[in-house]
Amino acid sequence: MTDVKDRIETPTPPPDLPKLGLIGWLRWTWRQLTSMKTALVLLFLLALGAVPGSLIPQTAIDPVKVSDFFEAHPKLGPFYDKLGLFDVYKSPWFSAIYLLLFISLIGCVVPRLQVYLKALRARPPKPPRNLNRLPGYQQFEPGVDDDVLDLAAKELRRRRFRVESYDGAIAAERGYLREAGNLLFHFSLILALIGAAWGALFGYRGTVLVVVGNGFSNSVAQYDDFSPGRIFTPDDLPPFSLTVKDFTAKFQTDGPQRGAAREFNANITYQETPDSPEKSYDLRVNHPLQVDGSNVHLLGHGYAPRVTVRDGKGQVAFSGPAPFLPQDSNFSSFGVIKAPDARPEQLGFEGFFLPTAVIDQRGPISVFPDSLNPALVMTAYYGRPSQETGKPQSVYQLDKTKLTQFDNGSGDKLRFQLAPGQSITLPDGRGSLTFDSYDRWVKLQISHTPGLDLALAGILLAILGLMGSLFIHPRRTWVRVRTQDGRTVVEVAGLDRGPERGLGDELQAIAQALQHPESKKPDEPTKQEQP
């Protein structure tokens, strides 16, 4: 009794398992990485990692919004920047997920491809001993003198089965393309990843705002923002140039959708090389210009008031168009005008350009996006001239840290409204501002994505492979003739290696075709067997 108690209380020592060693751990890590579960987790992480790229402004798309985010969130902005959330698709953690998913898919597809090729060459298996235990089963006595197995082989081939004869039995199998669909789906994901990586390495994308009448030359210095691929160099830029000759916009003038854009297009001319002839193109939304492998898209448009700023000495400190950025659907546009070279004091202006200005209880607003009653509503600043630091500044923001806002002489801040052709003289003879006229501007995106076609082909093949894996059902069918209780019986059985859809109906039709071959319609030409 004591021995039994001691054996119960004494714990069993763990088995002395061999240590994996370095090679064992590497093999285990590779198996975990190339498993289907890991690939699905990495695919989910890749989709999850792309969410910040949609919610947080990206430097490659809109650096101005990134700068505004830093100003609005002085503590959160640097934290996001350290995590790479302002450039998600080039961050180390996103690239790591991308690379691991790529390796996992390759390690998952290659072994399965070998197994599939081996199964493709294999013969349909012999019939099990007890066919009546299978999900689908039919038994009958042959009613004709014809060779039942020969009739069964013809019937199964007509139904696109691959047929193999055994002693007293026929084995048939179809649905091999289902596994091919699975492999095609995973292979297409690899193609899509390669295409995306190709574009990220060798492509580029940039945006530029061009005032009507001005031109653009495809060089890095002329872009407002430029995002090259990791292996892309400025020397790879195609040497084309373009000029925006005219821009027209049409808006809905009545009804519940009054003010909605109906059409806007830019009439441009371009040259593929400096020595090539000039060509014309009507640039519209979703109709990009394709030139030398690059696409020029029309992204947006707006207004650029043309003004003249004179300083306190009467000299012209600034003259030309100043692009203003739309803030609402009626194109109430905010912008700044800088005159840092004005003397004896530098001048600055900020405010709104209103295409169709109306003054109501909310103040000056625009009630229609077209320029029916244009007005410039501004305020002005002055300050001591400052030295150039070489630090780039946004043309859409006015640094007011060293500037003082003008007052109107009554203790209120100076605010004024100008129509085209009107001017205002600043207090104390510090200068003047003249609203000469206005132009339109267009925002262009120039991009080159070399792997786009490959990524698109991968997506289309993924859809095709997914359809094959969903709608193709592997099925095995056996027909056997045997003797039971002194009589000859025919057994027809089947097994689905997937959802059982129509198995019983098909087996019943095969059995009926073997029992009454004379009732069948004339045989159609035998279709090629499904691989």
Coordinates of all heavy atoms in Angstrom, one line a residue, residues 421-461:
G421 N -9.6 95.6 -59.4 CA -9.3 97.0 -59.8 C -9.2 98.0 -58.7 O -8.7 99.1 -58.8
Q422 N -9.6 97.6 -57.5 CA -9.6 98.5 -56.3 C -8.3 98.3 -55.5 O -7.6 97.3 -55.6 CB -10.8 98.2 -55.4 CG -12.1 98.5 -56.0 CD -13.3 98.2 -55.0 OE1 -13.1 97.5 -54.0 NE2 -14.4 98.8 -55.3
S423 N -8.0 99.4 -54.8 CA -6.7 99.4 -54.0 C -7.0 99.9 -52.6 O -8.1 100.5 -52.3 CB -5.7 100.3 -54.6 OG -5.3 99.9 -55.9
I424 N -6.1 99.7 -51.7 CA -6.2 100.2 -50.3 C -4.8 100.7 -49.9 O -3.8 100.1 -50.2 CB -6.7 99.2 -49.3 CG1 -6.8 99.8 -47.9 CG2 -5.8 98.0 -49.3 CD1 -7.4 98.9 -46.9
T425 N -4.8 101.9 -49.3 CA -3.5 102.4 -48.8 C -3.4 102.1 -47.3 O -4.4 102.3 -46.5 CB -3.5 104.0 -49.0 OG1 -3.6 104.3 -50.4 CG2 -2.2 104.5 -48.4
L426 N -2.3 101.5 -46.9 CA -2.1 101.1 -45.5 C -1.9 102.3 -44.6 O -1.4 103.4 -45.0 CB -1.0 100.1 -45.5 CG -1.1 98.9 -46.3 CD1 0.2 98.0 -46.2 CD2 -2.3 98.0 -45.8
P427 N -2.3 102.2 -43.3 CA -2.1 103.3 -42.4 C -0.7 103.7 -42.3 O 0.3 103.0 -42.5 CB -2.6 102.7 -41.1 CG -3.5 101.6 -41.5 CD -3.0 101.0 -42.7
D428 N -0.5 105.0 -42.0 CA 0.8 105.6 -41.8 C 1.7 105.5 -43.0 O 3.0 105.6 -42.8 CB 1.5 105.0 -40.6 CG 0.7 105.1 -39.3 OD1 0.0 106.1 -39.1 OD2 0.7 104.1 -38.5
G429 N 1.1 105.5 -44.2 CA 1.9 105.5 -45.4 C 2.9 104.3 -45.5 O 3.9 104.4 -46.1
R430 N 2.5 103.1 -45.0 CA 3.4 102.0 -45.0 C 3.3 101.2 -46.3 O 4.1 100.2 -46.5 CB 3.1 101.1 -43.8 CG 3.6 101.6 -42.5 CD 3.5 100.5 -41.4 NE 4.2 100.9 -40.2 CZ 3.5 101.5 -39.1 NH1 2.2 101.7 -39.2 NH2 4.2 101.8 -38.0
G431 N 2.5 101.6 -47.2 CA 2.4 100.9 -48.5 C 0.9 100.8 -48.9 O 0.0 101.5 -48.4
S432 N 0.7 100.0 -49.9 CA -0.6 99.8 -50.5 C -0.7 98.4 -51.1 O 0.3 97.7 -51.4 CB -0.9 100.9 -51.6 OG 0.0 100.7 -52.7
L433 N -2.0 98.0 -51.3 CA -2.3 96.7 -52.0 C -3.4 97.0 -53.0 O -4.4 97.6 -52.7 CB -2.8 95.7 -50.9 CG -3.3 94.4 -51.5 CD1 -2.2 93.6 -52.1 CD2 -4.1 93.5 -50.5
T434 N -3.1 96.5 -54.2 CA -4.0 96.6 -55.4 C -4.5 95.2 -55.8 O -3.6 94.4 -56.1 CB -3.4 97.4 -56.5 OG1 -3.0 98.7 -56.1 CG2 -4.4 97.6 -57.7
F435 N -5.8 95.0 -55.9 CA -6.3 93.8 -56.4 C -6.5 94.0 -57.9 O -7.5 94.5 -58.4 CB -7.7 93.5 -55.7 CG -8.3 92.2 -56.1 CD1 -7.7 91.2 -56.8 CD2 -9.7 92.0 -55.8 CE1 -8.3 90.1 -57.2 CE2 -10.3 90.8 -56.2 CZ -9.6 89.9 -56.9
D436 N -5.6 93.5 -58.7 CA -5.6 93.8 -60.1 C -6.6 92.9 -60.9 O -7.4 93.4 -61.6 CB -4.2 93.5 -60.7 CG -3.1 94.4 -60.1 OD1 -3.4 95.6 -59.9 OD2 -2.0 93.9 -59.8
S437 N -6.6 91.6 -60.6 CA -7.5 90.7 -61.3 C -7.3 89.3 -60.6 O -6.8 89.2 -59.5 CB -7.2 90.6 -62.8 OG -5.9 90.1 -63.0
Y438 N -7.7 88.3 -61.3 CA -7.5 87.0 -60.7 C -7.3 86.0 -61.8 O -7.8 86.1 -63.0 CB -8.7 86.5 -59.9 CG -10.0 86.4 -60.6 CD1 -10.4 85.2 -61.2 CD2 -10.9 87.6 -60.7 CE1 -11.6 85.2 -61.9 CE2 -12.0 87.5 -61.4 CZ -12.4 86.3 -62.0 OH -13.6 86.2 -62.7
D439 N -6.6 84.9 -61.5 CA -6.4 83.8 -62.5 C -6.9 82.5 -61.8 O -7.2 82.5 -60.6 CB -4.9 83.7 -62.8 CG -4.3 84.8 -63.6 OD1 -5.1 85.4 -64.4 OD2 -3.2 85.2 -63.4
R440 N -6.9 81.5 -62.6 CA -7.2 80.1 -62.0 C -5.9 79.3 -62.0 O -4.9 79.6 -62.7 CB -8.2 79.4 -62.9 CG -9.6 80.0 -62.8 CD -10.6 79.2 -63.6 NE -11.9 79.7 -63.6 CZ -12.8 79.3 -62.7 NH1 -12.6 78.4 -61.8 NH2 -14.1 79.8 -62.8
W441 N -5.9 78.4 -61.1 CA -4.7 77.5 -61.0 C -5.3 76.0 -61.0 O -6.4 75.8 -60.7 CB -3.8 77.7 -59.8 CG -4.5 77.6 -58.4 CD1 -4.9 78.7 -57.7 CD2 -4.9 76.4 -57.7 NE1 -5.5 78.2 -56.5 CE2 -5.5 76.9 -56.5 CE3 -4.8 75.1 -57.9 CZ2 -6.0 76.0 -55.6 CZ3 -5.3 74.2 -57.0 CH2 -5.9 74.6 -55.8
V442 N -4.4 75.1 -61.4 CA -4.7 73.7 -61.4 C -3.7 73.0 -60.6 O -2.5 73.4 -60.6 CB -4.8 73.1 -62.8 CG1 -6.0 73.8 -63.6 CG2 -3.5 73.3 -63.6
K443 N -4.1 71.9 -59.9 CA -3.1 71.1 -59.2 C -3.0 69.8 -60.0 O -3.9 69.1 -60.3 CB -3.7 70.8 -57.8 CG -2.6 70.0 -57.0 CD -3.1 69.8 -55.5 CE -2.1 69.1 -54.7 NZ -2.5 68.9 -53.3
L444 N -1.7 69.5 -60.4 CA -1.4 68.4 -61.2 C -0.6 67.4 -60.3 O 0.2 67.7 -59.5 CB -0.5 68.8 -62.4 CG -1.1 69.9 -63.3 CD1 -0.1 70.2 -64.4 CD2 -2.4 69.4 -63.9
Q445 N -0.8 66.1 -60.6 CA 0.0 65.0 -60.0 C 0.7 64.3 -61.1 O 0.0 63.8 -62.1 CB -0.9 64.0 -59.2 CG -0.1 62.8 -58.7 CD -1.0 61.8 -57.9 OE1 -1.3 62.1 -56.8 NE2 -1.3 60.7 -58.6
I446 N 2.0 64.2 -61.0 CA 2.8 63.5 -62.0 C 3.4 62.3 -61.3 O 4.0 62.4 -60.2 CB 3.9 64.4 -62.6 CG1 3.3 65.6 -63.3 CG2 4.8 63.6 -63.5 CD1 3.2 66.9 -62.5
S447 N 3.1 61.2 -61.9 CA 3.6 59.9 -61.2 C 4.0 58.9 -62.3 O 3.6 58.9 -63.4 CB 2.4 59.3 -60.4 OG 1.3 59.0 -61.2
H448 N 4.9 58.0 -61.8 CA 5.3 56.9 -62.6 C 5.4 55.7 -61.7 O 6.1 55.6 -60.8 CB 6.7 57.2 -63.2 CG 7.3 56.0 -64.0 ND1 6.6 55.4 -65.0 CD2 8.4 55.3 -63.8 CE1 7.4 54.4 -65.4 NE2 8.5 54.3 -64.7
T449 N 4.5 54.7 -62.0 CA 4.4 53.5 -61.2 C 4.7 52.3 -62.1 O 3.7 51.7 -62.7 CB 3.1 53.4 -60.5 OG1 2.7 54.6 -59.9 CG2 3.1 52.3 -59.5
P450 N 5.9 51.8 -62.2 CA 6.2 50.8 -63.2 C 5.6 49.5 -62.9 O 5.3 48.7 -63.8 CB 7.8 50.7 -63.2 CG 8.1 51.3 -61.8 CD 7.1 52.3 -61.5
G451 N 5.3 49.1 -61.7 CA 4.8 47.8 -61.4 C 3.2 47.8 -61.3 O 2.7 46.8 -60.8
L452 N 2.6 48.8 -61.8 CA 1.1 48.9 -61.6 C 0.4 47.8 -62.4 O -0.5 47.2 -61.9 CB 0.6 50.3 -62.1 CG -0.8 50.6 -61.8 CD1 -1.2 50.5 -60.4 CD2 -1.2 52.0 -62.4
D453 N 0.9 47.6 -63.7 CA 0.2 46.5 -64.5 C 0.4 45.1 -63.9 O -0.5 44.3 -63.9 CB 0.8 46.6 -65.9 CG 0.5 47.8 -66.6 OD1 -0.5 48.5 -66.3 OD2 1.2 48.2 -67.6
L454 N 1.6 44.9 -63.3 CA 1.8 43.6 -62.7 C 1.0 43.4 -61.4 O 0.4 42.4 -61.2 CB 3.3 43.5 -62.3 CG 3.8 42.1 -61.7 CD1 3.6 41.1 -62.8 CD2 5.2 42.2 -61.3
A455 N 0.8 44.5 -60.6 CA -0.1 44.4 -59.5 C -1.5 44.2 -59.9 O -2.2 43.4 -59.2 CB 0.1 45.7 -58.6
L456 N -1.9 44.9 -60.9 CA -3.3 44.7 -61.4 C -3.5 43.3 -61.9 O -4.6 42.7 -61.6 CB -3.6 45.7 -62.5 CG -5.0 45.7 -63.1 CD1 -6.1 45.9 -62.1 CD2 -5.1 46.7 -64.3
A457 N -2.6 42.8 -62.6 CA -2.7 41.4 -63.1 C -2.8 40.4 -61.9 O -3.5 39.4 -62.0 CB -1.5 41.0 -64.0
G458 N -2.0 40.7 -60.9 CA -2.1 39.8 -59.7 C -3.4 39.9 -59.0 O -3.9 38.8 -58.6
I459 N -4.0 41.1 -59.0 CA -5.4 41.2 -58.4 C -6.4 40.4 -59.2 O -7.3 39.7 -58.7 CB -5.8 42.6 -58.2 CG1 -4.8 43.3 -57.2 CG2 -7.2 42.8 -57.8 CD1 -5.0 44.8 -57.1
L460 N -6.3 40.5 -60.5 CA -7.3 39.8 -61.4 C -7.1 38.3 -61.3 O -8.1 37.6 -61.2 CB -7.1 40.3 -62.9 CG -7.4 41.8 -63.1 CD1 -7.2 42.1 -64.6 CD2 -8.9 42.0 -62.8
L461 N -5.8 37.9 -61.3 CA -5.6 36.4 -61.1 C -6.1 35.9 -59.7 O -6.5 34.8 -59.6 CB -4.1 36.1 -61.3 CG -3.6 36.3 -62.7 CD1 -2.1 36.0 -62.8 CD2 -4.3 35.3 -63.7

